[in-house]
Amino acid sequence: MRLKDGYHMAQQTSAGRRYVQTFISGFFVAVPVTVTILDKLAYVARVEGASMQPFLNPDAGAQSDVVLLNRWSVRNYQVQRGDIVSVVSPRNPKQKIIKRVIGLEGDFIRTLSYKNRYVRVPDGHLWIEGDHRGHSLDSNCFGPTPAEDMALVTAIR
Amino acid sequence: MFRHMLGKTLGLLGYTIQYGCIAHCAFEYIGEFVVCSGPSMEPTIVNHDVVFSERMSRHLFKIEKGDIVIAKSPFDPQMNICKRVIGLEGDKICTSSPSDLFKTHTYVPMGHVWLEGDNLRNSTDSRNYGPIPYALIRGRVCWKLWPLHSFGTLSESPTKRIIKAQTDSDSD
């Protein structure tokens, strides 16, 4: 009887240890791969705010829209005028803002409410504006921005 | 035979993807090795020095005044610059050179930092292009690895440009 218990216990500990080993090795594969996919390829997020109406969040009271943020397509910093991008806010590095690209580097912009009437976008910078004029914290407030952590935005309803 | 080769290739591909992802996570969240070039941080960091810059302080927003940081160049996102943080958001920066008669000051805007090289005579930094957004900072330089005779942590700023916060003296 005692021998049999010892045998069963040995089986259980080796099965338990194998489980832990499989779990750890799976963990070290799954976590870096997932983090790399989210950093380099694309991820999904919910958006809030009214600065891109009527494209995003057209109804104020309803559920906020869900968007796909595509990092892979802007990996070489190639954006076109008119694309909607998500960048880190120059006012608050903990927040991301979604705006439309109006001007690329070298463009001359006639601004709506910036301190200068005409602005040349410097190298490496972008001029971004929200679709909902007047309700948007964008380049009309903080000027051209060296867009950091860019992702191309497409809406998923 | 063909199946065997295909299996081996897929296995190799799987390992490459797995170790590539682990390397990406290490470089993105732990730290990276940087070879510095240029004279703008002499004498603290000279040309062809190898330093280690850690990423965690940047992700946790714990960059402080006096830290040496690696940041993306505001004019070319594919180039990096290595400078010292002179002021964080809200700090007062003296923008006039010491030879000017009238001193001018500016305040660093929200979400931005003011960077200057240690070699003030030979450095293009925030005195030329203004404060840069915090998000451009990549990491904080913490260890110098090469050359071996200056291995170790980096020294304090040799320029007297950092204005320490003055403690209020309360009258009891």
Side-chain angles (χ1 to χ4, degrees):
Chain A
M1 196 62 180
R2 213 171 283 176
L3 205 66
K4 213 170 161 190
D5 275 351
Y7 176 68
H8 275 135
M9 266 178 56
Q11 269 200 325
Q12 275 177 341
T13 41
S14 75
R17 198 181 310 161
R18 253 182 308 170
Y19 177 78
V20 171
Q21 276 177 348
T22 321
F23 179 80
I24 289 181
S25 63
F27 180 84
F28 275 107
V29 170
V31 168
V33 171
T34 311
V35 168
T36 309
I37 289 179
L38 294 181
D39 276 352
K40 287 283 176 196
L41 287 183
Y43 62 107
V44 174
R46 207 177 269 280
V47 296
E48 283 165 21
S51 62
M52 286 298 290
Q53 281 180 351
F55 182 74
L56 291 174
N57 285 347
D59 327 310
Q63 278 224 319
S64 31
D65 283 351
V66 175
V67 295
L68 174 76
L69 291 110
N70 186 349
R71 286 229 166 103
W72 183 253
S73 51
V74 291
R75 65 191 183 281
N76 291 326
Y77 305 99
Q78 301 281 347
V79 277
Q80 310 291 327
R81 294 178 196 89
D83 284 348
I84 304 183
V85 292
S86 125
V87 297
V88 176
S89 164
R91 286 266 174 96
N92 181 3
K94 298 184 188 176
Q95 207 178 46
K96 295 240 174 88
I97 55 177
I98 295 185
K99 302 282 179 260
R100 196 180 288 271
V101 173
I102 303 292
L104 303 174
E105 57 186 14
D107 289 349
F108 277 93
I109 304 283
R110 189 177 67 193
T111 66
L112 295 169
S113 48
Y114 189 53
K115 54 184 178 184
N116 301 328
R117 187 78 178 135
Y118 291 95
V119 165
R120 179 193 177 272
V121 180
D123 292 345
H125 287 59
L126 292 179
W127 187 272
I128 55 176
E129 280 183 14
D131 286 348
H132 195 179
R133 286 188 191 175
H135 286 76
S136 162
L137 174 72
D138 53 22
S139 286
N140 286 310
C141 306
F142 46 71
T145 172
E148 174 55 30
D149 202 12
M150 265 197 304
L152 204 62
V153 169
T154 46
I156 315 173
R157 290 277 161 220
Chain B
M1 174 66 181
F2 179 68
R3 272 196 167 188
H4 182 69
M5 291 295 289
L6 189 66
K8 282 220 156 185
T9 316
L10 285 178
L12 189 65
L13 192 67
Y15 270 118
T16 315
I17 292 177
Q18 177 186 342
Y19 286 115
C21 293
I22 293 180
H24 165 83
C25 287
F27 290 137
E28 182 70 27
Y29 294 104
I30 301 178
E32 53 187 0
F33 299 100
V34 182
V35 179
C36 303
S37 61
S40 61
M41 283 297 291
E42 288 172 1
T44 319
I45 301 178
V46 301
N47 208 358
H48 304 311
D49 275 0
V50 179
V51 298
F52 179 75
S53 81
E54 50 101 2
R55 298 280 215 149
M56 284 311 292
S57 348
R58 184 254 181 231
H59 288 297
L60 297 175
F61 299 100
K62 291 219 184 302
I63 301 278
E64 289 168 12
K65 256 200 291 211
D67 285 346
I68 304 181
V69 294
I70 308 275
K72 285 199 190 159
S73 161
F75 296 116
D76 184 1
Q78 281 156 340
M79 292 233 340
N80 297 320
I81 57 177
C82 175
K83 305 278 179 230
R84 198 181 285 270
V85 173
I86 301 294
L88 300 169
E89 63 183 11
D91 288 345
K92 193 173 170 185
I93 302 285
C94 178
T95 51
S96 57
S97 49
S99 57
D100 283 353
L101 200 59
F102 297 106
K103 307 252 173 258
T104 54
H105 287 108
T106 179
Y107 288 91
V108 181
M110 266 201 309
H112 287 63
V113 292
W114 188 275
L115 301 181
E116 280 183 16
D118 284 348
N119 188 359
L120 287 175
R121 268 186 263 264
N122 202 353
S123 162
T124 45
D125 44 36
S126 287
R127 291 169 300 159
N128 307 93
Y129 45 70
I132 69 164
Y134 181 95
L136 288 180
I137 294 179
R138 284 173 66 112
R140 181 179 71 97
V141 174
C142 53
W143 273 87
K144 198 200 283 204
L145 301 171
W146 187 268
L148 291 170
H149 62 79
S150 51
F151 183 92
T153 51
L154 294 125
S155 46
E156 294 279 313
S157 169
T159 62
K160 303 282 186 299
R161 293 279 295 163
I162 299 181
I163 304 173
K164 291 276 181 252
Q166 278 155 351
T167 51
D168 293 331
S169 51
D170 292 291
S171 52
D172 293 339

